[in-house]
Amino acid sequence: MKQLADIKISTLDLVPVRADSGPAQSLRNSLDLAQHVEKFGYNRFWVAEHHNMDGIASSATSVLLSYLAGGTSTIRVGAGGVMLPNHAPLVIAEQFGTLASLYPGRIDLGLGRAPGSDQMTARALRRERSGSADDFPDDVEELVRYLGPRTPEQKVIAVPGYGTEVPIWLLGSSLFSAQLAGMRGLPYAFASHFAPRYMHEAIRVYRNHFQPSAVLDKPYVMLGVPLVAADTDEQADYLATSVYQRILALMRGQSLVQRPPVKTMDGLWLPHEREAVGSFLGLAMVGSPEKIRAKLEVLLEQTEADELIFTCDLYEHADRIRSYELLARTVLGG
């Protein structure tokens, strides 16, 4: 059985926006967080493509990644992920080929088949492109070709791009990408930070369908995990109310700007909403280092995951940094 010492830990930053500061501060905070977790020993720092969400500032994902990579030196930086139906594969190959040329050996490209937005926004992004999720397997294959070696018969090339061999991950919150990642022999990241319900089944499907490839000889599973670590369980429970309010707002279709923590959620949610938020955050690690260690050990026993990528959506930037610091001490020591 895997132990905590056997796994890698990483960061997924949703670049949260506060109403009293705006996106510019959120972007600066993202770089500051990346610099901190790099020092703490985290393996990679990912941001995700979202659109038309006032509380998330990572819409121009490749632009943000250049800023993050330029401000760090060793940590891997990547997309977790790019929503491929929104883009022509050639454009993504050129963008990430450019990143890989500037920051060799440090760029990851995670791909999702969802739009990362509502249908109206998806149409605004794509215009004439059909952008169907049904095209996802073919788009992935096309993108892999653009980032691979140039062939004599190749009529369209990505410059920069070809020959960079940017590592590609498939991301998913259901079973489709799990099966595709297994069949293609690619690493797989499951979005258990917001869809834990299908986690065990997705891992099983991925491993059962896995075929060794030029990039992987055995399955590699990374799981998304919500994190609220603090010095005491009571402090963590208090800080977590910001996360609960954000998820509640998402479910209600309200603004996603961050909200400060509150002493109690009583009166802010209805019983069925409390249950829904709890289901959404079913894998959340909330508590002191001792409590989180115990929960992580159970998670590893159940999943045999190779890597865990944590998202921490706290109101105060300093609390986020402290949360990641406590986790690093718990898992990595020091």
Side-chain angles (χ1 to χ4, degrees):
M1 185 187 78
K2 283 197 176 85
Q3 306 296 320
L4 279 181
D6 299 326
I7 66 163
K8 296 177 179 179
I9 58 172
S10 294
T11 299
L12 172 63
D13 185 20
L14 297 182
V15 198
V17 179
R18 281 174 46 162
D20 61 352
S21 57
Q25 186 60 51
S26 299
L27 296 168
R28 288 191 289 268
N29 286 347
S30 187
L31 176 58
D32 185 66
L33 181 61
Q35 293 168 339
H36 274 87
V37 299
E38 180 177 66
K39 294 174 184 175
F40 297 155
Y42 283 72
N43 185 44
R44 61 186 97 239
F45 189 93
W46 281 6
V47 294
E49 177 185 352
H50 292 84
H51 299 281
N52 197 27
M53 296 184 180
D54 60 356
I56 299 177
S58 54
S59 56
T61 311
S62 59
V63 177
L64 176 55
L65 290 178
S66 188
Y67 172 63
L68 297 172
T72 53
S73 57
T74 58
I75 195 168
R76 297 194 66 88
V77 175
V82 162
M83 301 299 108
L84 195 52
N86 294 337
H87 311 279
L90 176 60
V91 172
I92 298 304
E94 291 170 342
Q95 290 175 356
F96 279 79
T98 299
L99 288 168
S101 299
L102 291 170
Y103 310 104
R106 294 184 54 210
I107 303 300
D108 296 325
L109 175 51
L111 301 173
R113 64 188 286 263
S117 62
D118 58 86
Q119 289 303 311
M120 183 180 299
T121 306
R123 285 194 295 272
L125 283 165
R126 298 170 189 167
R127 292 300 172 97
E128 273 70 38
R129 287 200 76 239
S130 62
S132 171
D134 296 335
D135 299 331
F136 185 66
D138 292 337
D139 285 349
V140 171
E141 185 175 346
E142 182 180 350
L143 181 51
V144 169
R145 287 199 305 270
Y146 287 136
L147 295 172
R150 182 179 182 180
T151 61
E153 70 280 4
Q154 192 169 354
K155 303 297 185 183
V156 178
I157 59 173
V159 184
Y162 75 83
T164 55
E165 306 282 1
V166 177
I168 288 179
W169 292 67
L170 294 194
L171 319 181
S173 57
S174 62
L175 305 183
F176 181 92
S177 292
Q179 182 173 334
L180 182 62
M183 294 170 63
R184 296 287 173 87
L186 296 172
Y188 178 60
F190 184 75
S192 36
H193 59 294
F194 68 82
R197 179 178 176 184
Y198 297 107
M199 177 183 71
H200 293 289
E201 180 67 7
I203 294 172
R204 184 190 66 80
V205 167
Y206 170 63
R207 288 174 173 157
N208 286 348
H209 284 85
F210 186 83
Q211 298 291 325
S213 69
V215 295
L216 274 185
D217 59 358
K218 60 181 180 180
Y220 193 95
V221 172
M222 180 161 66
L223 301 176
V225 182
L227 173 69
V228 182
D231 292 285
T232 66
D233 291 341
E234 293 76 17
Q235 178 69 0
D237 288 339
Y238 170 69
L239 295 177
T241 58
S242 287
V243 183
Y244 303 154
Q245 292 178 80
R246 190 162 156 100
I247 303 306
L248 182 62
L250 176 66
M251 293 176 173
R252 290 175 171 176
Q254 298 172 342
S255 168
L256 294 183
V257 294
Q258 286 186 298
R259 294 159 174 81
V262 293
K263 291 183 178 180
T264 178
M265 289 292 293
D266 292 347
L268 296 180
W269 54 15
L270 298 172
H272 74 278
E273 291 175 323
R274 177 177 182 172
E275 183 176 342
V277 171
S279 177
F280 190 103
L281 297 171
L283 212 64
M285 302 290 160
V286 179
S288 63
E290 295 77 15
K291 183 175 181 180
I292 286 176
R293 171 181 285 276
K295 294 185 70 173
L296 287 175
E297 287 172 346
V298 172
L299 177 63
L300 287 183
E301 181 180 1
Q302 293 176 342
T303 65
E304 293 284 313
D306 301 285
E307 186 168 348
L308 300 176
I309 186 164
F310 293 87
T311 181
C312 184
D313 230 5
L314 302 184
Y315 186 72
E316 296 292 350
H317 182 58
D319 289 330
R320 284 209 298 160
I321 292 173
R322 179 61 174 165
S323 196
Y324 281 113
E325 181 183 15
L326 291 173
L327 178 69
R329 291 181 181 179
T330 300
V331 177
L332 304 176

